């Protein structure tokens, strides 16, 4: 593995106009009601959180992709093409789970032609090692919580607002990584004091 590379964690999740029910508060005797249209349309989102292996001053980078329907191999190759432009040809070590589309024959053939990309696989059944899972959790607890959108576009707009919120706070992506108990050397990102 090239030691001067971006370590990038990739994960996918789904969203729909059906609300993510979360607890809320209200005056006694006034139970909040959440009204929504029954809409089974879904969108898929892919998130890639990157941390530079040798230079934390470069910050964490978040690459995000949203599309109607679900991801197959062609959709994931589109995400990787976006990542290639995002990282402008810099070396990337991509860490991802065992989703079959990640390891299909077409995906392996595409990756074999990429000199900027190295693949690593997370252990099976270990979502707690992927900081992108915490990104999804943050979105679903804030922007998507109790959102009863009439259309998939409402959910997409709320999701993009959440991505902007996370990008605006440079500590959040590092906290997602810290929560996994994984470290990238050097251990102290620029936005945290050494005693934290």
């Amino acid at each position: 593995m090239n030691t001067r590379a971006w370590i990038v964690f990739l994960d996918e999740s789904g969203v729909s106009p059906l609300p993510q029910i979360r607890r809320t508060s209200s005056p006694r005797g006034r139970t909040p009601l959440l009204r929504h249209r029954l809409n089974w349309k879904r969108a898929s989102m892919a998130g890639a959180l990157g941390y530079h292996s040798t230079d934390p001053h470069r910050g964490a980078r978040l690459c995000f992709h949203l599309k109607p329907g679900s991801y197959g191999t062609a959709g994931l190759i589109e995400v990787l093409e976006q990542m290639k432009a995002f990282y402008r040809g810099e070396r990337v070590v991509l860490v991802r789970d065992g989703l079959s589309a990640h390891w299909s024959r077409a995906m392996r053939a595409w990756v074999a032609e990429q000199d900027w990309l190295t693949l690593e696989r997370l252990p099976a059944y270990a979502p707690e090692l992927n900081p992108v899972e915490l990104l999804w959790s943050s979105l679903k607890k804030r922007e998507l919580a109790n959102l009863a959108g009439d259309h998939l576009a409402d959910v997409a707009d709320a999701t993009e607002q959440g991505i902007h919120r996370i990008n605006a706070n440079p500590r959040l992506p590092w906290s997602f990584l810290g929560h996994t108990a994984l470290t990238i050397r050097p251990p102290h990102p620029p936005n945290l004091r050494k005693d934290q």
Side-chain angles (χ1 to χ4, degrees):
M1 176 172 82
N2 187 333
T3 57
R4 295 186 55 83
W6 287 90
I7 310 300
V8 179
F9 295 86
L10 176 71
D11 194 43
E12 303 82 26
S13 186
V15 290
S16 79
L18 296 175
Q20 300 276 332
I21 306 298
R22 297 290 182 255
R23 292 185 74 143
T24 186
S25 60
S26 66
R28 184 174 293 189
R30 292 188 182 168
T31 303
L33 296 177
L34 189 59
R35 298 185 191 281
H36 64 89
R37 295 180 181 183
L38 190 58
N39 187 335
W40 293 103
K41 291 184 179 177
R42 290 188 60 78
S44 294
M45 50 190 180
L49 267 174
Y51 307 89
H52 199 272
S53 61
T54 60
D55 188 1
H57 296 283
R58 296 184 72 182
R61 289 189 181 174
L62 171 58
C63 184
F64 178 75
H65 188 268
L66 182 69
K67 73 181 270 331
S70 59
Y71 283 107
T73 299
L76 288 173
I77 289 174
E78 184 180 316
V79 170
L80 295 178
E81 289 282 4
Q82 179 181 330
M83 278 183 54
K84 183 178 183 177
F86 188 75
Y87 284 99
R88 296 184 185 99
E90 291 187 76
R91 299 280 310 151
V92 170
V93 176
L94 187 65
V95 182
R96 54 197 185 161
D97 60 23
L99 181 70
S100 59
H102 288 173
W103 305 97
S104 68
R105 181 175 293 153
M107 178 63 79
R108 288 192 311 263
W110 184 86
V111 168
E113 298 173 0
Q114 309 303 312
D115 62 351
W116 62 279
L117 185 64
T118 303
L119 300 182
E120 294 293 334
R121 186 174 180 164
L122 284 168
Y125 309 109
E128 69 278 3
L129 296 178
N130 194 335
V132 183
E133 294 284 354
L134 295 149
L135 179 141
W136 301 145
S137 178
S138 179
L139 288 175
K140 291 177 181 181
K141 287 179 181 174
R142 297 262 318 252
E143 286 77 14
L144 299 177
N146 300 318
L147 175 67
D150 289 331
H151 305 285
L152 202 50
D154 299 330
V155 178
D157 290 345
T159 302
E160 289 183 10
Q161 288 172 7
I163 293 299
H164 290 303
R165 171 182 58 85
I166 291 165
N167 267 333
N169 183 345
R171 298 182 105 189
L172 270 177
W174 288 103
S175 71
F176 298 157
L177 180 66
H179 190 63
T180 67
L182 298 174
T183 60
I184 293 178
R185 301 283 183 237
H188 305 293
N191 52 359
L192 296 177
R193 296 190 324 261
K194 291 183 180 182
D195 60 338
Q196 286 184 316

